Amino acid sequence: MAWPPPSGLPAPFRAVVGRGAARWAGVRAADQPVRGRGPGGVRRRADRRPARPRPGAPDRSRRSMLAEIITSLTRRGTSATRPAATRPAAAGSAPTGSAATGSAAASHAATTTVAGEWYGQYLRVLILPVLDLYLRRGVGLEAHLQNTVVTLDDQGWPVTGWFRDSQGYYLAASRAEAARHEVPGLGDGLPAVFDDALVEQRLIYYTVVNNALAVIGALGAAGIANERALLAQLRAELVRARCGPGGRARRGRALLNRLLDAPTLPCKANLRTCVDGRDELVGPVTSQSIYVEIPNPLVEVRP
């Protein structure tokens, strides 16, 4: 990437997950649908508004449904554990000069606080349960953004996480016998049991890189959150998970130590997989996709 990324996520990471996060967050790009073609067959814009700023330019903010939810929660003075506050009606003229600047700064600080609370709820209802399923049972889910749905309450806070793909799951070989003791015939006739290393790779990519970190990128791109603060928040949750029952097991320690301390994390190279002519629907699971290593942003916020 030619431009320096904002603080938090390194450039290679943004290049890989930025578009997926934008789709999930409902980003309304400045580039609206185009109609017809201009000279030489070049597609014309339907309107004449200036194009979206280049990433890295001073004004990078993008509107999204997620940003609107966070902004609305901030205006209502709500939190994940506090009902909407009763705000007094504004009186007098609007603030000007330094007063207006201070008001804007306070408003932005309030928004970033709410964004952090919202992200914490998101982790607790979706990301952490998926990781815990692997730590306790050896089941890894392809819980990327397209495979997960979040139920929001009436105000907009995450309350329930859902996984929707009946094909995107793996059972670690080290837990297969115990799992089949609990569910006789589990995986019979299906490619469901895989080496622990492969399950760990897929879990890290789909659930953490493609989901938890991508949501941080979406909140940061919308200009409503401090990415480094959210990275530190995710790291703190993973540290707490390492102290729990699942995290104390050998497999749990290995996974969480890798997430917290490894210099790189696995990431699926979708374009390279396509150019290489691989078909993920028919190829062997172990070689249907190409994976690369990207810098681990959680290391950057290590105390």
Side-chain angles (χ1 to χ4, degrees):
M1 297 176 71
W3 56 86
S7 62
L9 304 182
F13 176 79
R14 285 191 169 277
V16 173
V17 305
R19 293 183 181 275
R23 284 197 298 271
W24 179 87
V27 167
R28 298 174 180 173
D31 298 318
Q32 298 296 315
V34 295
R35 299 186 178 90
R37 295 180 180 271
V42 177
R43 293 176 66 84
R44 294 179 298 139
R45 294 172 55 83
D47 55 24
R48 294 298 179 182
R49 291 183 296 172
R52 177 172 47 189
R54 174 179 63 84
D59 181 12
R60 295 184 307 100
S61 61
R62 300 180 177 92
R63 292 188 304 159
S64 71
M65 291 185 292
L66 180 55
E68 290 172 2
I69 290 172
I70 301 299
T71 302
S72 176
L73 290 171
T74 304
R75 283 198 304 266
R76 294 201 299 268
T78 63
S79 75
T81 58
R82 183 179 69 246
T86 301
R87 295 179 176 270
S93 59
T96 59
S98 60
T101 301
S103 177
S107 176
H108 180 70
T111 301
T112 57
T113 297
V114 171
E117 292 185 11
W118 193 97
Y119 185 66
Q121 279 290 100
Y122 181 82
L123 293 177
R124 287 186 285 274
V125 304
L126 180 63
I127 302 300
L128 295 177
V130 170
L131 293 177
D132 189 65
L133 181 62
Y134 175 74
L135 299 179
R136 292 174 178 267
R137 300 293 185 179
V139 176
L141 302 180
E142 291 186 356
H144 55 75
L145 293 175
Q146 289 179 307
N147 274 354
T148 51
V149 179
V150 179
T151 299
L152 306 179
D153 65 14
D154 292 340
Q155 295 178 347
W157 294 101
V159 292
T160 310
W162 304 85
F163 175 74
R164 70 172 187 86
D165 192 347
S166 62
Q167 292 179 313
Y169 62 89
Y170 309 83
L171 177 60
S174 64
R175 293 300 303 272
E177 183 176 350
R180 285 171 173 159
H181 179 75
E182 296 184 28
V183 184
L186 177 65
D188 287 354
L190 299 173
V193 179
F194 299 93
D195 290 341
D196 288 30
L198 182 140
V199 180
E200 181 179 293
Q201 177 198 56
R202 304 302 166 87
L203 182 68
I204 290 175
Y205 167 65
Y206 285 114
T207 304
V208 178
V209 173
N210 189 287
N211 197 324
L213 293 178
V215 173
I216 292 178
L219 290 167
I224 58 174
N226 182 307
E227 293 182 4
R228 292 188 65 85
L230 297 185
L231 287 170
Q233 188 174 342
L234 173 57
R235 182 178 179 85
E237 292 288 358
L238 295 176
V239 169
R240 279 191 284 270
R242 186 165 57 180
C243 297
R248 288 195 294 266
R250 178 180 301 177
R251 181 184 57 257
R253 281 200 311 273
L255 172 70
L256 294 170
N257 286 344
R258 183 176 180 183
L259 284 169
L260 291 167
D261 301 321
T264 62
L265 295 177
C267 182
K268 188 169 70 169
N270 288 306
L271 179 58
R272 187 179 298 183
T273 296
C274 179
V275 171
D276 198 52
R278 306 192 189 197
D279 188 340
E280 294 183 86
L281 297 179
V282 299
V285 172
T286 55
S287 59
Q288 65 186 193
S289 306
I290 297 175
Y291 279 76
V292 297
E293 293 291 316
I294 62 172
N296 181 2
L298 293 172
V299 173
E300 298 182 10
V301 294
R302 184 167 50 193

